[in-house]
Amino acid sequence: MAAAAISHLRRGAQHHAVLCISLSRRRFSSSAVAAASPLAAAARRLLSTTADSATASTSGEHYKPPPFDPFRAATLSPSAPPLESARLEDEPPSSPPPQDEAAASVAAHEQATLACQELELEGLKAGVEAVKSREESPEEKEAWWLLSRAVVNYCGSAVGTVAANDPSTSQMLNYDQVFIRDFVPSAIAFLLKGESDIVKNFLLHTLQLQSWEKTVDCYSPGQGLMPASFKVRSVPLDGNSEAFEEVLDPDFGESAIGRVAPVDSGLWWIILLRAYGKITGDYALQERVDVQTGIRLILNLCLSDGFDMFPTLLVTDGSCMIDRRMGIHGHPLEIQALFYSALRCAREMIGVTDGSKNLIRAINNRLSALSFHIREYYWVDMKKINEIYRYKTEEYSHDAINKFNIYPEQIPSWLADWIPVKGGYLIGNLQPAHMDFRFFSLGNLWAIVSSLATQRQAEGILNLIEAKWDDIVANMPLKICYPALEYEEWRIITGSDPKNTPWSYHNGGSWPTLLWQFTLACIKMGRRDLARRAVEVAEKRLSDDKWPEYYDTRTGRFIGKQSRLYQTWSIAGYLSSKMLLDCPEMASILVCDEDFELLEGCACSLNKNARTKCSRRAAKSQVLV
C-alpha cells in the first residue's frame, strides 16, 4: 500500500501541502486559505476574469494581466511546442544533477509527500471518529434507518441503494434500481460514517458494467460509457427452473425515457473514486489495472476529437440530473462543472507512466482552456449584463468582443430586476447566438466546489443565493433552476411535458438532495451560516413529509405532484449535510483548491510569444508580482 500511496502522491504534492496546513489547524475557510500564502491572493487576482475585475491600478499590488483568449491564440504558430515543455530563450541552460543527487532528491520528495498524506489521512480518520461519536437528532436516526433499508445486496455484499422505497405506489418504474448519480450522496454519508465497504463494492461492480468494446451501433453503448443505473436480477442457472443466480442488469439509457445515454455517470464515478481513496487511504484500489483502464476509457470518451470548437462538452437534453427535455442541450453548465471536477480528480489518480503522459498533457490543456472559457464567457453580473446589452453583432475578426454573436434582445425581462448589485452567477448554457440566462443550482454549486469558478465568482454566487433566498430556497432548499419556463415557452421548449409544468420537477422544482452540495460550497467559502440556515429550513418538513423527491410551487410549499416518497438521495443529502457541518474538515475529500499549475499555464499564455517563450519559472514570476 505504501508504494501505491507514493505513486499517488507524486501527482499532487503541492495540493496535499495546502490541505495538510488546513487539517492541522482544523479550519476550512476561505479566509484561512487566503492568509496561508501571498501566492493565493495573487492567483485570485490573475484568474479573475474581465467580468469581475477590480479597478485597474498601475501598482504591482493590483497588477492583473489581460486574460488569455483561446480564440485569439488560433493565430499562433500551430507547430509551437506545448506549454509544459517550452523554455525562455534567455533562461540559462542548466545541466542535469548527478544521478546520485537526483535519486536522493526524488527519495526525499517521496518521503515528504508521504508524511503529508499520512497527516491528512490521520485528520480524516479523526473526523470519521468524531462523526461516529456525535449525538444524532431524531430526524437523523430515522434517516439512517431509512437509508439502511434502501441498501441493495448482490451475492451477499452491499453494492448500492435504490433510488426510492415508496410503499405508497405500485409503479416503481426504475426507482427500484441503483443509479450512479443518485448513489453519490449515499456514498458520502457512508464514507463519513466510516462504512466504506459498500462504496468500494459499488465502484468495482459498476466498473464491471462499463462498456469496454468499441461499437458503431447507435443503439449500443460506446466504449467507456458508464451505465445510468443497474438492477440485481435473479435468473435461472443453466436453464434450471429451481436454481437461480444473481446478475447485474445495467441500463445505459436504452430503457430510459427519451433513450438518452448518461453523460454524468462516468464523471460522478471518478469523483467518488477519489473521495473514497482520500478518506480511507486505500490508494491501492486506484492503482488496480482495471480501475486505471476504466478511468482512461471515461477520459478518452470525454476528450475525443469532434467538430466542436469549444473546450466544453457538447451533449444533448436529458444527459444529466435533468433527464427530460428542458432546453439544456448544447453545453449545459452542470456537465461542464462535473467534467472539470472529474478531470481534476482523474489527474491525481492516473498512474504516471510513459503511456499516460499524453493523456495527462491532454487533461492539463483541457483544464486550462475549460476554466478560462467558463470563467470568461459564462459569468454574468450587473457589469457583464450591461456589456451584453450594448453588444454589436455580426462581428468578424479575432478581436471581436461579441465572439458568439449574442443579440442583446436575448436578455430576459426578469433578469435586470432579479440579479443583485453585489453578486452574480454562471449562466446555464452558451452556444452560438444563444445564452441561457437561467440560474441552475447544481452547476453553480459544483463550480464552487471544484474551483472552476474564481474566488470572486464563488463569493458572488453565494451572495446571490443569500440575496434571493426567497426565490432559490424559500420553504425547501434548493431550486433546481430559476425561473421556470411558462406559457408558450414551456410548450415549445419542453414539448408540453406534463411532468415539467411550471415550478414543478425539473422546471423550477425544489430538490432536497441539492442540500449536501450547497453545504459543500458554503464550507469551502467559509459560509457555514448559510448552509445551517438551509438545513434548518429542510428539517422542518422533510421527516413529516416522508422524505419526498422534490417539491412544487414557486416557494416549494407543496410536495411534488409525482414525487416519490422516501427518496434515498433526499435522505442521504440531509445526512451528509449534517455530518459535514459538524465536521467541516471532511469536505476536503470532495473539494478542489485552486490549481496553481494551471495558473502558471495561463500566465505563460499572456505573453504575445507565449507558445515559443514560456516556462514555469516565468509564469510564477508573473504570479508573484
Side-chain angles (χ1 to χ4, degrees):
M1 175 177 172
I6 291 173
S7 176
H8 169 82
L9 287 164
R10 284 181 181 145
R11 301 186 291 274
Q14 183 177 10
H15 306 294
H16 283 311
V18 174
L19 187 53
C20 286
I21 295 173
S22 175
L23 286 169
S24 62
R25 296 179 181 175
R26 296 189 62 81
R27 290 203 301 246
F28 200 91
S29 66
S30 59
S31 59
V33 174
S37 169
L39 182 60
R44 285 195 297 274
R45 290 200 303 270
L46 185 59
L47 282 182
S48 296
T49 66
T50 56
D52 59 14
S53 59
T55 305
S57 172
T58 57
S59 66
E61 181 181 357
H62 299 289
Y63 169 73
K64 176 181 175 294
F68 169 61
D69 190 338
F71 293 99
R72 183 104 183 233
T75 61
L76 296 173
S77 171
S79 61
L83 295 178
E84 289 81 358
S85 60
R87 299 181 59 85
L88 283 176
E89 291 180 359
D90 56 354
E91 185 175 343
S94 58
S95 58
Q99 187 173 0
D100 293 342
E101 182 181 344
S105 177
V106 171
H109 174 72
E110 290 180 348
Q111 186 176 6
T113 51
L114 182 57
C116 180
Q117 188 267 347
E118 289 176 351
L119 178 61
E120 175 191 1
L121 185 59
E122 288 177 5
L124 290 173
K125 286 184 176 180
V128 170
E129 293 302 319
V131 168
K132 288 181 178 179
S133 61
R134 59 187 291 273
E135 185 177 353
E136 296 176 344
S137 65
E139 291 82 5
E140 289 178 84
K141 293 178 180 178
E142 178 193 4
W144 275 116
W145 181 76
L146 292 171
L147 186 59
S148 66
R149 288 184 60 223
V151 171
V152 173
N153 291 289
Y154 170 66
C155 296
S157 299
V159 295
T161 52
V162 294
N165 239 336
D166 189 350
S168 65
T169 179
S170 59
Q171 295 182 343
M172 290 304 296
L173 298 177
N174 56 358
Y175 282 83
D176 60 346
Q177 299 187 23
V178 180
F179 281 81
I180 288 185
R181 78 170 68 97
D182 290 42
F183 179 69
V184 172
S186 297
I188 301 305
F190 286 127
L191 288 175
L192 294 177
K193 199 70 178 285
E195 301 175 12
S196 60
D197 287 347
I198 184 175
V199 181
K200 182 176 182 178
N201 293 336
F202 170 84
L203 290 168
L204 291 176
H205 283 296
T206 49
L207 178 64
Q208 294 174 356
L209 300 175
Q210 184 185 31
S211 176
W212 279 30
E213 296 181 0
K214 290 186 177 181
T215 65
V216 293
D217 184 356
C218 59
Y219 294 104
S220 298
Q223 188 180 36
L225 185 67
M226 297 293 283
S229 63
F230 65 85
K231 183 178 177 64
V232 179
R233 299 187 187 276
S234 296
V235 298
L237 183 61
D238 297 329
N240 189 343
S241 59
E242 296 182 358
F244 294 87
E245 65 174 343
E246 290 184 336
V247 298
L248 297 180
D249 182 15
D251 178 14
F252 290 90
E254 68 269 25
S255 300
I257 298 174
R259 303 302 191 265
V260 177
V263 177
D264 61 340
S265 290
L267 307 178
W268 278 122
W269 186 86
I270 290 176
I271 293 168
L272 182 58
L273 177 64
R274 180 217 186 210
Y276 168 84
K278 289 179 75 69
I279 199 170
T280 63
D282 183 12
Y283 295 112
L285 179 67
Q286 301 172 5
E287 301 290 338
R288 287 177 43 157
V289 174
D290 55 345
V291 174
Q292 288 285 309
T293 302
I295 296 173
R296 295 186 189 193
L297 287 176
I298 294 172
L299 296 179
N300 288 338
L301 187 63
C302 295
L303 296 171
S304 59
D305 293 333
F307 293 100
D308 201 7
M309 291 283 290
F310 308 150
T312 44
L313 277 181
L314 179 63
V315 299
T316 187
D317 249 329
S319 59
C320 53
M321 180 180 176
I322 298 178
D323 57 5
R324 300 168 76 94
R325 181 177 166 188
M326 267 290 291
I328 65 168
H329 58 279
H331 307 86
L333 176 65
E334 175 181 333
I335 290 294
Q336 315 316 321
L338 293 175
F339 181 36
Y340 183 85
S341 181
L343 289 177
R344 291 284 305 271
C345 295
R347 191 178 57 174
E348 291 184 21
M349 297 184 292
I350 292 178
V352 181
T353 64
D354 291 339
S356 65
K357 288 181 179 178
N358 288 336
L359 179 58
I360 294 174
R361 184 179 296 110
I363 291 174
N364 285 330
N365 291 339
R366 192 62 167 264
L367 282 169
S368 181
L370 181 61
S371 62
F372 173 85
H373 187 85
I374 296 297
R375 293 172 176 188
E376 180 70 11
Y377 301 123
Y378 275 62
W379 177 256
V380 292
D381 54 11
M382 279 302 297
K383 179 181 178 181
K384 188 59 180 280
I385 293 172
N386 269 286
E387 292 177 5
I388 298 173
Y389 184 71
R390 294 173 56 82
Y391 266 171
K392 295 179 181 179
T393 58
E394 318 302 329
E395 292 182 290
Y396 177 82
S397 72
H398 291 292
D399 297 327
I401 297 175
N402 185 3
K403 293 180 175 61
F404 303 96
N405 202 35
I406 303 299
Y407 297 98
E409 289 76 12
Q410 290 185 28
I411 300 176
S413 57
W414 59 267
L415 184 59
D417 295 328
W418 187 74
I419 193 167
V421 175
K422 293 184 179 180
Y425 65 100
L426 297 169
I427 61 172
N429 212 328
L430 176 65
Q431 299 184 76
H434 173 68
M435 294 182 77
D436 186 345
F437 286 97
R438 285 177 292 176
F439 174 86
F440 287 86
S441 293
L442 177 53
N444 276 276
L445 294 177
W446 211 256
I448 297 175
V449 172
S450 65
S451 288
L452 175 57
T454 66
Q455 177 81 6
R456 186 185 295 271
Q457 288 171 349
E459 292 171 354
I461 292 169
L462 293 185
N463 287 342
L464 179 137
I465 294 175
E466 183 178 25
K468 298 300 175 182
W469 191 266
D470 291 340
D471 292 330
I472 299 175
V473 178
N475 293 286
M476 180 56 62
L478 272 73
K479 278 276 180 289
I480 191 170
C481 71
Y482 183 92
L485 300 171
E486 298 182 289
Y487 309 115
E488 193 70 7
E489 190 178 31
W490 163 80
R491 187 185 69 81
I492 295 172
I493 293 180
T494 73
S496 302
D497 188 349
K499 194 168 184 178
N500 273 331
T501 52
W503 307 109
S504 177
Y505 202 50
H506 297 142
N507 190 15
S510 299
W511 291 71
T513 186
L514 293 173
L515 190 62
W516 73 275
Q517 300 177 76
F518 180 58
T519 301
L520 273 177
C522 291
I523 290 175
K524 183 174 186 291
M525 300 306 298
R527 294 297 311 273
R528 276 186 285 167
D529 57 313
L530 281 183
R532 291 190 185 280
R533 183 180 171 190
V535 170
E536 289 174 0
V537 170
E539 278 183 321
K540 294 177 181 178
R541 299 187 56 188
L542 277 177
S543 178
D544 292 341
D545 293 342
K546 301 178 182 178
W547 309 92
E549 178 183 12
Y550 65 95
Y551 286 78
D552 284 350
T553 73
R554 185 185 290 266
T555 58
R557 297 189 65 183
F558 293 169
I559 298 174
K561 57 187 175 185
Q562 295 190 43
S563 176
R564 290 297 192 276
L565 302 180
Y566 302 106
Q567 185 80 13
T568 303
W569 67 353
S570 296
I571 297 167
Y574 165 75
L575 287 173
S576 298
S577 296
K578 292 287 287 187
M579 290 184 285
L580 286 168
L581 283 173
D582 284 354
C583 193
E585 295 87 353
M586 306 296 285
S588 63
I589 67 174
L590 288 160
V591 302
C592 295
D593 294 325
E594 186 63 86
D595 189 321
F596 296 111
E597 291 184 1
L598 287 180
L599 173 61
E600 290 175 349
C602 292
C604 287
S605 302
L606 297 175
N607 193 299
K608 291 183 179 180
N609 299 318
R611 295 298 177 119
T612 56
K613 293 183 180 181
C614 76
S615 70
R616 294 196 181 278
R617 183 179 301 176
K620 188 173 292 187
S621 68
Q622 290 198 44
V623 174
L624 295 176
V625 169

